[in-house]
Amino acid sequence: MNNEPWMIFIVVFATLLAAAFTSATVPVRQRFLNFDPKYFRRIKVKFPAFLFAGIGDKTTSDVKNYGVIAPMFALHLLGYLWTVLLVTAVPVLYYRFGVDLDVLVVVPFGVALIHMITVIAVEAGCSSYAKRKLSEEEIALSE
């Protein structure tokens, strides 16, 4: 019995799932971050603002007026780049280079995992930086 049609379906499903994950991770996680973005340089996004999310309340989450902090803007772009890369690379790897379907099931999830680790590391760094700046500000005010 030929399992190739099922494996192609599984590879396509895994690729689409990983692509959705890489493109949606940063905007969704941005909504739940709780550090003050005022310590970072912001990039205002006029179009396509719906693809980007800001940190915090209504004021700071408005990307058209307030902007997106630079590290998160880079993560947004990286996520969208990974998405496009996944959707284009997997079919090319299979049809042009003959990579096994077993390998192509793992590749999208590996990319999604690497992206998630990067997002968590950058968020932790930004949070640590914001907390350090806040404590320095509090120390300066108390003197």
Side-chain angles (χ1 to χ4, degrees):
M1 183 174 199
N2 190 359
N3 287 333
E4 188 169 330
W6 282 105
M7 281 303 294
I8 290 174
F9 172 77
I10 291 170
V11 167
V12 168
F13 183 73
T15 303
L16 292 177
L17 189 65
F21 180 79
T22 56
S23 65
T25 299
V26 177
V28 170
R29 289 184 58 89
Q30 291 269 122
R31 304 286 184 201
F32 303 105
L33 292 177
N34 58 357
F35 61 85
D36 194 356
K38 73 179 182 182
Y39 303 110
F40 298 92
R41 187 172 74 83
R42 294 181 304 273
I43 299 168
K44 292 183 180 179
V45 180
K46 301 293 183 194
F47 180 80
F50 63 91
L51 291 176
F52 296 89
I55 295 173
D57 60 7
K58 290 270 190 196
T59 306
T60 57
S61 66
D62 182 17
V63 296
K64 287 182 181 177
N65 298 320
Y66 188 77
V68 180
I69 65 172
M72 296 302 154
F73 183 78
L75 283 179
H76 277 87
L77 293 180
L78 183 64
Y80 298 135
L81 177 69
W82 280 124
T83 300
V84 170
L85 188 68
L86 276 173
V87 171
T88 56
V90 169
V92 168
L93 287 173
Y94 178 67
Y95 289 111
R96 177 70 177 105
F97 297 106
V99 176
D100 286 340
L101 291 172
D102 298 335
V103 173
L104 289 178
V105 169
V106 177
V107 168
F109 291 122
V111 169
L113 179 66
I114 290 169
H115 179 64
M116 188 65 191
I117 291 169
T118 305
V119 168
I120 290 171
V122 170
E123 288 174 355
C126 288
S127 178
S128 173
Y129 178 78
K131 287 177 184 175
R132 188 177 74 229
K133 284 294 195 179
L134 179 65
S135 67
E136 288 173 2
E137 215 174 66
E138 289 173 351
I139 291 171
L141 288 176
S142 67
E143 291 178 350

